[in-house]
Amino acid sequence: MRNAIFAVESSYASELEGFYVPWKPVAAPTPRLLYLNHELAEDLRLDLTAVDRPTLAALFSGNRLPEGATPIAQAYAGHQFGRFSPQLGDGRALLIGEVIDRYGKRRDIAFKGSGRTPFSRDGDGKAALGPMLREVLLGEAMHALGIPTTRALAVVGTGEPVYREKELPGAQLTRVAASHIRVGTFEFFAARGAYDRVRQLADYTIARHDQALVGEPERYLDLLRAAARRQAALVAQWMNVGFIHGVMNTDNMSIAGETIDYGPCAFMEAYDPAAVFSSIDAHGRYAFENQSRIAQWNLARFAETLLPLLADDEQRARALATEVVEGFADVFQRDWLAGVRAKLGLRGRVEHADRIDAALAEDWLALLQADKVDFTLAWRRLAGVAEGHPEPLRGLFADQRALAVWLDRWRARCAAEDLESPSSEGVNAGRSRANSMRRANPWLIPRNHRVEEALLAASDEGELEPFEQLLAALKHPYDEQAGLARFAEPAADSFTAAYRTYCGT
Ligand code: AMP
Ligand code: MG
């Protein structure tokens, strides 16, 4: 269409013919713009400030496409709960195109909830408003926490109902991602024995995400290593904020290392390594504590797709892949430990630091688990202890003795590093440590009860203010904001015990 508001490129569509089906979004009868991420639009160098709302609604409902758009439904497969589905694909999503952001990075622009595609199977291709706003809240919270994630650019109400357990308002989300290349994208072609396609996809992926590897003789093995590093870093960050993805199927694991697919995810409240909220995860496959092992399992599925590219000799290819997959555990442990050290306010090294710090962190988590202490509050209040205010933390624990013993160990560890490398801060060392801890331990996470409250108001009453207020609060998770204390309060135990999240809703 002429006079387009913005233009997109289509490298995936033009370079990877045969990896998708060209398709069009279904028209929305009466689109209404409900959310626009101005900050992200600026990052993408999209100038939308002068565009009126009806035009934006037309644009983000797909009724009017950006210039250069070649909408496609991407093909992918995936292991879902351990079982292989050779064909999943974009059943209710379309890749519209790509833009180059202000940092020079190519970012995908995709619709979710844009209608049926050849990959829809029994699905209606639609999305309900609540889950799309949930994706906004959780994704923006994740971004503000400093964790790699896909992000929502816009949400439009379609003016059409969707039918789930009841009739719900329909919506469409515009998702921005480093790319939508998943482990499952590789699996789709590997499962069909189409190794020329796997190579083509790997080359595209390398050119897009690991440019330094272009032309390198070991580039496919290095791509596997790079994907492993990114996923390890990502899951370590999830673990350190209490995030449970909930559906870590291989089709939901991005090679670019972003958090993707905000379906049944949730943030943990009381610390419980076995925490699961997803209604369909009956056996806790994707429980909090399993996430790094699942990431490793998914990585093994990715590695299998690359085998013919790694070496001519199959045994050698397997040995190379196995080394990377097995090495994932150590890479993850290193990332996790680095994160947890920052949370503990440990900056310097002492002798045997790795062993001491890992034990310190694990014993702390065991204390939280034993007393069912809120994960976020406990970490945040530990910062206060560094400044000589242990009371708020103590208030969270039943077993005061165990806490006191642990705090003595932690103080000793802090003192040891301060002795080793005395800082110029002198008597202010405590305050400085507390401040750095507050940058590693968020004051605010998206609390499940507050998220649900906001979504209910939007979905049932068309009232968007609670959503907007919560979203604004989540933009500054590391700053204590006096007026927003209600968002930081844990839910009642009874709420959390009954809380269930849903996939693909
Ligand atoms: P997910 O659980 O969101 O990762 O989706 C798994 C698969 O189901 C993907 O192929 C989706 O495109 C597809 N899917 C999810 N919801 C729908 C829907 N409402 N209509 C069609 N396909 C869907
Ligand atoms: Mg998915």
Side-chain angles (χ1 to χ4, degrees):
M1 163 170 232
R2 297 304 309 152
N3 307 319
I5 314 298
F6 67 88
V8 294
E9 298 179 4
S10 305
S11 74
Y12 199 91
S14 62
E15 293 172 35
L16 294 174
E17 216 170 293
F19 289 70
Y20 58 83
V21 180
W23 206 253
K24 291 271 181 297
V26 169
T30 51
R32 201 158 72 88
L33 184 72
L34 301 179
Y35 169 68
L36 180 61
N37 192 336
H38 290 282
E39 178 207 320
L40 179 57
E42 269 177 40
D43 270 0
L44 299 175
R45 301 186 306 175
L46 304 182
D47 185 12
L48 304 176
T49 42
V51 185
D52 63 52
R53 290 179 77 88
T55 309
L56 290 169
L59 197 62
F60 293 113
S61 61
N63 287 5
R64 171 178 177 169
L65 290 173
E67 191 179 314
T70 345
I72 57 172
Q74 289 175 299
Y76 56 86
H79 278 85
Q80 300 181 302
F81 291 89
R83 274 194 44 190
F84 187 59
S85 297
Q87 183 167 314
L88 295 168
D90 285 337
R92 59 159 170 176
L94 290 174
L95 177 61
I96 298 306
E98 305 128 22
V99 298
I100 309 297
D101 71 12
R102 67 202 285 182
Y103 311 104
K105 291 198 101 162
R106 184 174 292 272
R107 312 267 294 268
D108 276 4
I109 310 271
F111 289 153
K112 184 164 173 180
S114 44
R116 288 180 54 81
T117 77
F119 300 109
S120 297
R121 291 166 293 157
D122 299 332
D124 60 1
K126 303 277 163 80
L129 176 63
M132 295 306 100
L133 294 181
R134 191 166 193 278
E135 177 152 345
V136 176
L137 290 172
L138 277 283
E140 289 307 289
M142 206 61 127
H143 175 75
L145 286 165
I147 303 178
T149 180
T150 65
R151 295 179 69 186
L153 177 60
V155 174
V156 164
T158 58
E160 196 176 53
V162 298
Y163 300 93
R164 298 293 182 258
E165 65 286 0
K166 61 177 184 174
E167 187 182 304
L168 295 167
Q172 181 172 311
L173 178 125
T174 301
R175 176 160 74 187
V176 175
S179 81
H180 285 81
I181 304 166
R182 313 145 189 268
V183 170
T185 319
F186 283 85
E187 288 180 291
F188 183 93
F189 299 98
R192 287 157 178 78
Y195 283 102
D196 49 339
R197 291 261 153 111
V198 174
R199 184 185 299 270
Q200 208 185 333
L201 181 61
D203 284 333
Y204 177 88
T205 307
I206 287 168
R208 188 150 170 189
H209 297 305
D210 296 288
Q211 249 168 37
L213 302 180
V214 172
E216 289 296 314
E218 291 208 345
R219 60 188 174 279
Y220 302 118
L221 185 62
D222 284 340
L223 171 63
L224 179 62
R225 289 198 183 106
R229 269 198 307 276
R230 288 191 282 263
Q231 203 61 25
L234 179 66
V235 177
Q237 290 186 82
W238 291 353
M239 299 306 283
N240 280 326
V241 295
F243 179 75
I244 305 164
H245 182 282
V247 60
M248 290 177 70
N249 295 333
T250 57
D251 52 304
N252 294 335
M253 174 168 155
S254 153
I255 304 296
E258 287 183 333
T259 310
I260 187 167
D261 216 317
Y262 288 89
C265 60
F267 277 76
M268 185 157 64
E269 300 228 324
Y271 182 69
D272 172 13
V276 175
F277 292 105
S278 168
S279 61
I280 58 165
D281 192 0
H283 303 290
R285 179 180 169 90
Y286 299 136
F288 180 71
E289 65 187 338
N290 291 348
Q291 296 188 110
S292 72
R293 259 171 295 148
I294 290 292
Q296 185 181 34
W297 192 90
N298 291 347
L299 189 70
R301 303 292 77 76
F302 180 42
E304 282 164 3
T305 71
L306 298 177
L307 285 178
L309 278 52
L310 298 182
D312 290 335
D313 175 61
E314 198 196 322
Q315 255 190 328
R316 170 146 175 76
R318 278 196 185 277
L320 291 169
T322 303
E323 195 184 319
V324 178
V325 173
E326 285 182 354
F328 178 87
D330 285 341
V331 178
F332 169 78
Q333 176 68 16
R334 251 203 327 272
D335 289 342
W336 176 79
L337 191 55
V340 100
R341 270 202 181 109
K343 291 176 83 71
L344 287 166
L346 304 177
R347 294 169 285 185
R349 307 282 298 175
V350 295
E351 218 186 329
H352 306 302
D354 282 2
R355 193 168 42 75
I356 292 173
D357 297 350
L360 199 59
E362 279 156 18
D363 294 345
W364 162 254
L365 293 175
L367 284 184
L368 301 191
Q369 185 183 0
D371 275 358
K372 300 186 167 58
V373 178
D374 185 88
F375 183 78
T376 306
L377 282 184
W379 279 111
R380 183 75 181 189
R381 291 187 188 181
L382 185 60
V385 183
E387 275 180 324
H389 300 296
E391 280 317 315
L393 178 70
R394 282 192 194 133
L396 297 173
F397 286 80
D399 189 345
Q400 294 293 322
R401 232 186 69 82
L403 175 64
V405 169
W406 185 87
L407 283 175
D408 282 345
R409 271 171 67 200
W410 174 66
R411 287 195 190 94
R413 168 66 180 85
C414 293
E417 81 171 29
D418 292 349
L419 205 66
E420 195 79 5
S421 46
S423 72
S424 52
E425 292 135 0
V427 288
N428 287 327
R431 171 155 312 159
S432 154
R433 170 167 284 122
N435 283 338
S436 79
M437 289 173 74
R438 286 191 192 102
R439 289 191 293 273
N441 293 302
W443 177 73
L444 189 64
I445 51 149
R447 298 266 177 193
N448 300 316
H449 60 143
R450 296 306 180 216
V451 170
E452 294 309 321
E453 207 172 78
L455 299 187
L456 202 67
S459 192
D460 283 12
E461 288 142 44
E463 180 54 74
L464 284 170
E465 212 177 293
F467 159 81
E468 284 158 1
Q469 284 173 357
L470 178 56
L471 181 63
L474 290 169
K475 298 243 177 233
H476 307 284
Y478 295 103
D479 305 332
E480 185 163 342
Q481 306 164 76
L484 302 175
R486 61 183 292 274
F487 291 129
E489 281 165 15
D493 291 345
S494 57
F495 177 92
T496 302
Y499 190 54
R500 291 289 168 276
T501 56
Y502 300 90
C503 261
T505 39

